Amino acid sequence: MLRCLLVRLIIGIAVFSVLCDFGAGDDASTPAALRKLGVESGDTFVFLGDSITYGCGWTHHVEGYFFTRFPQTRIRFVNAAVGGDRSWTVDERFDMSVAPLKPNFATIMLGMNDGRYRAYDPALQERYRESMTRILDRLKKMDTDVVLMTPGHFDRQTRDSVRVEPANNYNGVLLCYGNWLREVSWQRKLPCTDINAAMSGVLVRQRAEDPGFTLTTDGIHTNALGDFVMAESFLRELGMPATVSEIAITRDKADWAETHQGGSLNDLQAGDDSIRFTFHANALPWFVGEDAQAGYELVNAGNTLNQELLRVSGLPAGAYTLKIDGDAVATHPAHVWAKGVNLSDNPKTPQRQQSQEVAKLFRQRTNFMQSYAKGWFMWVLRGPERAWLAEHQPGDDRYDEFNARAQQSDAALKSTPELLKKADAMLPLIYEAAQPKAHQYELLPAESNE
């Protein structure tokens, strides 16, 4: 018992020191979308959940969006989820693993494990309600802004294909949990993302064409497609902006005019069939790696969350090549440029290449975060054994076995502050790499390619 208390004290002190090291961030003005959420530079943004969140799949995409879309707002992300977590286990470990982080903002997605994968049990849902209520009350007392997330989708079809067990309507149980959660969000005036509905909608649409389509590996844990569907739904439901930047240049007879958003445009020079200008965007396009590209296309994220638009109308008929900093990146007919071209997915643009470099950095940070979360996972996993040890003596049957595993979990937990510190040390590097640069744009007749 003394050992457990000592470990808690060590972890609390170490986490507090990490928070102090991070500081309050810069003084840059906070974008409107973040002000609406109550998120500002220097805030700690914590993800709470079970193994679906613990795996850092969907949260990695969310962090990538924030790093590239809001590079001046320095947010500290911490994945504090634990595999196997239920609402009541989060409630039990709250003072040790959540409160020391002093979250300004938290997302909570719990419930998948609470119903224990069996028919609806009113007693289990009541326990879920009581535990979630205590968690929300604690976060409110800490002045933490919260976004609720319904439990994900339990896919009976995929589950039956990988596990030998009776089919059941467990997703119906999760819907009961989600319905109650939406009521709570309305009562407490908290945002709530219906992840179950988002996943169900995609499954219905896709299985009409491909009956074997799935968003999970085993009916529970999301695959790469499912991770991206969750991230896109979360960001869109929070009202995150679709536009990275937008430039529109039009000609009325001999006069050219421009409008733009998401940056500053200077030195516009326009001839009969050519355009030149300098543009310094406020953000980079959201980079999505090859593993998530299919999910990105599935939900049309280029349209919903990643528009980097260039429109030029009034050019004579013909094909025109866009150069950025002297390098050709795209060639389209005049009518396509007039309609608008989304540059966010173009691998040749320097801004897309920069966002890819940013992604490499925050992938390293995600790896640290996964190791950090693993320490808490081992702590929770060995909880019953530690409880058994507290009531038994050396020499009792299985004492040595349980004690060895308990010491292993204690050692893993003691390493978490250092892992969190390493993850936080990556933040200045990520934000420095994410600062947009000014670029020279040229739109010229394709045949001249001057």
Side-chain angles (χ1 to χ4, degrees):
M1 202 66 180
L2 179 60
R3 177 178 61 190
C4 295
L5 293 173
L6 180 60
V7 170
R8 294 186 183 202
L9 180 61
I10 291 172
I11 298 301
I13 293 172
V15 170
F16 178 75
S17 70
V18 170
L19 290 169
C20 293
D21 288 344
F22 184 69
D26 55 41
D27 295 325
S29 59
T30 304
L34 296 186
R35 287 200 304 272
K36 185 177 179 181
L37 285 178
V39 177
E40 57 187 33
S41 201
D43 278 357
T44 293
F45 188 128
V46 171
F47 298 102
L48 296 174
D50 50 37
S51 55
I52 298 169
T53 301
Y54 163 76
C56 296
W58 73 271
T59 62
H60 175 80
H61 296 309
V62 169
E63 291 180 37
Y65 177 92
F66 275 85
F67 286 139
T68 51
R69 190 60 51 89
F70 309 115
Q72 301 300 327
T73 306
R74 304 197 171 201
I75 302 167
R76 175 177 181 259
F77 292 95
V78 180
N79 190 328
V82 169
D85 249 350
R86 301 171 178 85
S87 57
W88 60 267
T89 59
V90 175
D91 184 30
E92 283 187 344
R93 66 181 177 86
F94 188 94
D95 290 337
M96 184 168 60
S97 64
V98 180
L101 296 170
K102 297 184 178 179
N104 305 95
F105 191 91
T107 66
I108 309 174
M109 187 173 68
L110 292 164
M112 179 63 78
N113 297 318
D114 286 75
R116 299 188 180 177
Y117 304 97
R118 62 194 194 201
Y120 178 74
D121 183 336
L124 289 177
Q125 183 169 13
E126 182 59 27
R127 189 174 193 184
Y128 174 78
R129 290 171 176 168
E130 291 175 353
S131 299
M132 287 294 291
T133 298
R134 283 194 296 270
I135 293 169
L136 290 173
D137 287 345
R138 287 177 165 189
L139 289 170
K140 182 178 180 180
K141 190 174 181 180
M142 295 173 65
D143 199 26
T144 301
D145 292 315
V146 174
V147 170
L148 297 172
M149 301 173 70
T150 66
H153 180 87
F154 178 85
D155 186 356
R156 186 177 66 184
Q157 174 178 308
T158 304
R159 187 71 173 177
D160 289 347
S161 70
V162 298
R163 298 288 181 91
V164 180
E165 61 183 29
N168 60 67
N169 186 31
Y170 189 62
N171 198 59
V173 176
L174 298 180
L175 290 176
C176 292
Y177 286 37
N179 288 338
W180 175 79
L181 207 61
R182 285 195 297 273
E183 285 185 29
V184 170
S185 73
W186 179 79
Q187 292 167 354
R188 293 181 179 247
K189 297 181 172 57
L190 299 175
C192 182
T193 303
D194 195 338
I195 294 297
N196 195 298
M199 295 178 70
S200 298
V202 171
L203 283 171
V204 169
R205 291 194 300 272
Q206 294 304 118
R207 283 182 176 165
E209 301 178 4
D210 176 10
F213 178 86
T214 184
L215 294 173
T216 66
T217 58
D218 58 2
I220 298 170
H221 300 94
T222 44
N223 58 20
L225 282 172
D227 283 336
F228 196 84
V229 168
M230 286 179 59
E232 190 270 347
S233 176
F234 175 80
L235 291 166
R236 182 166 40 80
E237 289 297 322
L238 285 187
M240 291 295 101
T243 302
V244 181
S245 62
E246 184 171 0
I247 302 167
I249 300 174
T250 60
R251 179 164 63 178
D252 181 13
K253 297 181 180 179
D255 297 324
W256 289 90
E258 64 85 9
T259 59
H260 64 274
Q261 61 173 307
S264 57
L265 191 151
N266 297 292
D267 304 324
L268 175 63
Q269 301 173 42
D272 288 338
D273 60 357
S274 64
I275 303 289
R276 292 179 174 85
F277 60 89
T278 300
F279 189 69
H280 192 164
N282 298 333
L284 297 175
W286 183 22
F287 177 81
V288 175
E290 291 183 8
D291 59 334
Q293 194 61 42
Y296 181 91
E297 295 170 1
L298 180 67
V299 296
N300 193 21
N303 182 56
T304 62
L305 288 168
N306 207 23
Q307 296 183 27
E308 187 183 19
L309 300 175
L310 174 62
R311 294 188 178 95
V312 179
S313 60
L315 293 168
Y320 292 82
T321 296
L322 173 66
K323 291 184 175 182
I324 302 180
D325 297 338
D327 295 324
V329 299
T331 299
H332 297 290
H335 72 272
V336 172
W337 288 112
K339 184 178 179 181
V341 174
N342 187 355
L343 299 175
S344 66
D345 298 329
N346 188 323
K348 295 182 179 179
T349 70
Q351 51 270 38
R352 161 79 177 210
Q353 293 168 4
Q354 184 182 352
S355 67
Q356 185 172 358
E357 292 304 310
V358 174
K360 290 179 182 178
L361 287 174
F362 76 78
R363 169 57 69 186
Q364 295 177 37
R365 187 174 190 274
T366 297
N367 292 339
F368 281 127
M369 216 65 258
Q370 287 176 319
S371 297
Y372 163 81
K374 186 176 180 180
W376 287 111
F377 171 68
M378 291 183 67
W379 176 261
V380 172
L381 182 67
R382 300 303 175 199
E385 294 176 0
R386 285 194 304 274
W388 184 92
L389 288 169
E391 298 177 358
H392 292 76
Q393 301 296 324
D396 289 348
D397 187 37
R398 305 200 73 179
Y399 186 93
D400 290 343
E401 176 189 352
F402 286 180
N403 187 52
R405 288 203 290 256
Q407 288 182 358
Q408 185 183 28
S409 72
D410 287 350
L413 190 61
K414 288 178 182 177
S415 70
T416 56
E418 187 61 30
L419 289 167
L420 186 56
K421 197 168 186 177
K422 288 180 178 179
D424 287 342
M426 295 291 299
L427 286 170
L429 301 177
I430 294 169
Y431 281 111
E432 181 179 356
Q435 299 308 308
K437 303 172 183 177
H439 297 288
Q440 306 293 322
Y441 287 65
E442 297 176 280
L443 194 61
L444 307 166
E447 60 272 14
S448 69
N449 204 24
E450 297 176 356

